[in-house]
Amino acid sequence: MSELEDLQPASDRGVLPESSIRLGASPPASSSPWRSRGYLPHFDEPGRVQALTFRLHDAVPDSVVQSWKDKLAWAENLPATDPREVELRHLIARYEDAGHGACWLRDERIAALVENALLHFDDQRYHLIAWCIMPNHVHGLIEMQENWTLGSIVHSWKSYTAHRANQILRRSGEFWFREYHDRFIRDDAHFARAVRYIEHNPVKGKLVRLPEEWRWSSAWWQKDER
């Protein structure tokens, strides 16, 4: 089975069938079964919880990132706690939230496509704990399942959605930026901060007033339970 066949949206799980995505149909209803509500993570192997971000290829130009690296005297293989590495991540996050680039994820067809990909293997390859699809980047919080690596999961999401999105948009070329950022969750406090950061990102980006108002997020799915 090819990568694309492997990740066909499953309509019986409450997500849009592929034909609906192609036609730009309405998003799935709020009653759609997303099962990770109230999920308690495990902080051991293989149940390592990972926070990750991946973005569109034009969301943060390489030239901009390089200028920040030069100013910070940034170097390869800095530890995650190094002030230069921390500041670089903050600069990239602020630039992403400003909504630069083509912002193809504003298109509901593309946002639905990406959401379907995130939901498709929930409880099979990973537990999807929280997510948010912003106009030019995606945040997620997942617990790894045994025999699946974070790299293989992200590759599956990106390769399938890039192919389908380019078809929908009638374009070719790069869609996602080649790399992604990830951090493993250390403890309960770090877990709570990660969920809040992800679900409040649309508020921080001034897209909505409350997290649950942003359609393409775990907060929206859970709004009737809060």
Side-chain angles (χ1 to χ4, degrees), residues 71-92:
K71 291 177 181 177
L72 292 169
W74 183 91
E76 294 288 347
N77 301 317
L78 288 174
T81 56
D82 188 285
R84 293 167 291 177
E85 179 67 19
V86 171
E87 180 61 18
L88 181 63
R89 291 200 304 269
H90 287 168
L91 289 168
I92 291 173

Side-chain angles (χ1 to χ4, degrees), residues 66-127:
Q66 188 58 54
S67 69
W68 292 332
K69 289 180 177 179
D70 293 342
K71 291 177 181 177
L72 292 169
W74 183 91
E76 294 288 347
N77 301 317
L78 288 174
T81 56
D82 188 285
R84 293 167 291 177
E85 179 67 19
V86 171
E87 180 61 18
L88 181 63
R89 291 200 304 269
H90 287 168
L91 289 168
I92 291 173
R94 286 199 292 268
Y95 200 93
E96 289 170 342
D97 289 342
H100 295 284
C103 291
W104 290 306
L105 301 178
R106 287 187 186 275
D107 187 323
E108 289 193 354
R109 299 171 300 169
I110 310 304
L113 173 72
V114 174
E115 183 177 74
N116 282 334
L118 298 179
L119 291 170
H120 188 85
F121 287 117
D122 183 28
D123 289 339
Q124 297 177 51
R125 299 181 179 181
Y126 48 83
H127 294 303

Side-chain angles (χ1 to χ4, degrees), residues 3 18 36 61 69 72 74 104 124 131 135 146 148 155 163 173 175 191 212 215 224:
E3 184 70 41
E18 184 177 6
S36 290
K69 289 180 177 179
L72 292 169
W74 183 91
W104 290 306
Q124 297 177 51
W131 82 91
E146 191 171 6
W148 291 99
H155 174 75
H163 179 83
F175 188 78
F191 175 82
E212 58 267 27
R215 166 60 190 86
D224 293 334

Side-chain angles (χ1 to χ4, degrees), residues 151-172:
S152 66
I153 289 168
V154 176
H155 174 75
S156 178
W157 290 339
K158 291 170 69 176
S159 62
Y160 172 69
T161 56
H163 179 83
R164 287 289 296 120
N166 277 343
Q167 288 180 331
I168 292 168
L169 296 168
R170 299 183 179 182
R171 67 177 299 275
S172 60

